[in-house]
Amino acid sequence: GSRKKPLHLISSSDKPGLDLLKVEYVKADKSGPSFQTTFEKTEQTLKVAFSSLNLLLQTQALLSSINYLTTIIPSNDQRSDSKEVQISDEKRQKNSALQK
């Protein structure tokens, strides 16, 4: 934009030590000495913590991103053409193998 400062479209919490996504899996041994006390007779535990994720939707930035992506990603027509060439090459190879 005109401010000449970076525009952060996606950001998460700035708090130190706070992860965006944290998954903790604990599997306790039933025959272990602390199964009843520490694990409260729970054999498996899964904890999922998700902190904040902020998305800033700004029209000019979104249009610029879309324009960039459309220039670097081939269109469906180009992808289907390459698949057709690949299929016809495979058919040719099979036919030549059958003729031998």
Side-chain angles (χ1 to χ4, degrees):
S2 60
R3 295 180 287 169
K4 302 293 181 194
K5 292 182 181 178
L7 182 62
H8 300 285
L9 298 177
I10 300 174
S11 62
S12 63
S13 177
D14 291 335
K15 294 179 185 176
L18 186 61
D19 299 321
L20 179 62
L21 177 66
K22 182 179 179 181
V23 179
E24 181 181 339
Y25 174 74
V26 176
K27 181 170 173 118
D29 183 11
K30 286 183 187 180
S31 59
S34 58
F35 180 69
Q36 292 182 359
T37 56
T38 304
F39 301 106
E40 299 174 355
K41 298 180 183 179
T42 304
E43 189 175 344
Q44 296 181 27
T45 305
L46 179 67
K47 295 179 184 177
V48 179
F50 189 82
S51 68
S52 66
L53 179 66
N54 304 317
L55 297 174
L56 174 64
L57 301 177
Q58 200 252 1
T59 308
Q60 186 176 0
L62 287 173
L63 290 173
S64 177
S65 300
I66 291 170
N67 186 30
Y68 174 74
L69 290 173
T70 54
T71 58
I72 64 167
I73 298 174
S75 68
N76 286 338
D77 295 337
Q78 291 173 343
R79 279 189 255 165
S80 63
D81 289 346
S82 65
K83 285 181 184 176
E84 288 173 11
V85 169
Q86 207 172 28
I87 291 170
S88 64
D89 287 343
E90 289 173 6
K91 285 181 181 178
R92 232 181 278 130
Q93 288 173 354
K94 286 179 184 176
N95 287 340
S96 64
L98 289 174
Q99 291 174 355
K100 290 179 183 179

